[in-house]
Amino acid sequence: MARARQERAEITRQAILDGAAVAFDACGFEGTSLSDVVKHAGVTKGALYFHFQSKEALARTLMDEQFQVAEGVPAIADPGLQTVIDLTHQMAYGLRTNVRIRAGIRLVIEFGSFTHPDPAPYNTWIDTCIGCLVPAQERGDVRSSLDVHDLATLLVGSFTGIQVASHVRTGREDLHSRVIDLWSFLLPGIVPADRIPHFDLAGSPACRAGFALPAPDSPGVTAG
């Protein structure tokens, strides 16, 4: 009985998160009421308050959903610059296909403009990038003259701006192409010239296979 109740409670919690994601993605934090969440989730307000004490608690849970994209990074035996490239495409794919990630990212951006902005999500991504860039620099894939913290900060900020512009201009239909542009322009300043051919700017074959993305055919993008 207890197990069945726990399973039902988790199903309800996930329904609430799904409903909240739809509402926040469409209308943002200020434009969404808990009544909107209840309507989209198909639950009662009592059920919502059982799982989440406030709209902000619900929003912060969704903001954390984005980090599922990077949950496999700690298990990678030899992370590096290609890992970071793959992460940008994985996030791009999530933004295009997963309403929870879209809602979470919209909330992160909105919370950043509040009176007391929360830098934590950005700092988490910066730290994730640093964890990949440090070993990349140690093996000569990132120029030794670069500060990896500054580079990680630039990459996170650049991706944030690119995805916002892509959302406004094309509904993110061109986001993978814009991410390839980002790496095409940045890599010559990041990577020693003889190492550039080792990187796949469209994502590694394993990354593309996971998202059913086509193999790159643009000039300057390697397939290795």
Side-chain angles (χ1 to χ4, degrees):
M1 287 288 292
R3 183 184 180 89
R5 284 197 298 271
Q6 290 175 351
E7 290 176 351
R8 287 196 297 271
E10 182 58 23
I11 289 171
T12 299
R13 183 177 182 277
Q14 294 303 319
I16 292 169
L17 287 171
D18 287 338
V22 171
F24 285 134
D25 183 43
C27 300
F29 185 80
E30 294 295 344
T32 295
S33 67
L34 290 179
S35 295
D36 296 326
V37 174
V38 166
K39 176 182 176 181
H40 286 292
V43 301
T44 64
K45 268 198 175 178
L48 188 153
Y49 281 117
F50 176 81
H51 290 280
F52 301 97
Q53 294 183 339
S54 66
K55 185 171 73 167
E56 181 170 334
L58 186 54
R60 290 190 178 278
T61 300
L62 281 172
M63 287 164 64
D64 288 341
E65 291 271 321
Q66 64 185 291
F67 301 117
Q68 292 181 7
V69 172
E71 63 185 2
V73 171
I76 297 175
D78 198 20
L81 183 57
Q82 187 65 55
T83 309
V84 180
I85 294 171
D86 287 354
L87 281 173
T88 59
H89 285 287
Q90 288 164 352
M91 179 58 79
Y93 185 80
L95 284 165
R96 294 184 62 211
T97 63
N98 189 321
V99 68
R100 287 196 189 185
I101 291 178
R102 284 199 304 274
I105 292 298
R106 174 167 182 167
L107 290 166
V108 166
I109 294 171
E110 290 186 1
F111 274 51
S113 65
F114 285 5
T115 303
H116 301 289
D118 182 7
Y122 297 100
N123 290 339
T124 297
W125 279 116
I126 289 169
D127 289 342
T128 297
C129 289
I130 290 172
C132 298
L133 294 172
V134 167
Q137 190 175 56
E138 290 173 347
R139 59 176 173 262
D141 288 339
V142 172
R143 295 180 185 275
S144 60
S145 59
L146 297 179
D147 182 304
V148 293
H149 182 277
D150 291 344
L151 175 56
T153 303
L154 171 68
L155 292 174
V156 171
S158 297
F159 180 85
T160 300
I162 284 172
Q163 74 86 12
V164 170
S166 176
H167 169 59
V168 172
R169 295 182 63 249
T170 70
R172 298 194 179 97
E173 285 297 319
D174 70 342
L175 185 50
H176 287 287
S177 295
R178 301 291 73 79
V179 171
I180 292 173
D181 288 345
L182 169 69
W183 290 112
S184 295
F185 286 111
L186 288 184
L187 240 63
I190 296 172
V191 180
D194 64 322
R195 301 294 296 167
I196 290 178
H198 292 271
F199 299 102
D200 194 329
L201 311 191
S204 66
C207 174
R208 294 195 303 272
F211 305 141
L213 294 175
D217 56 7
S218 58
V221 179
T222 66

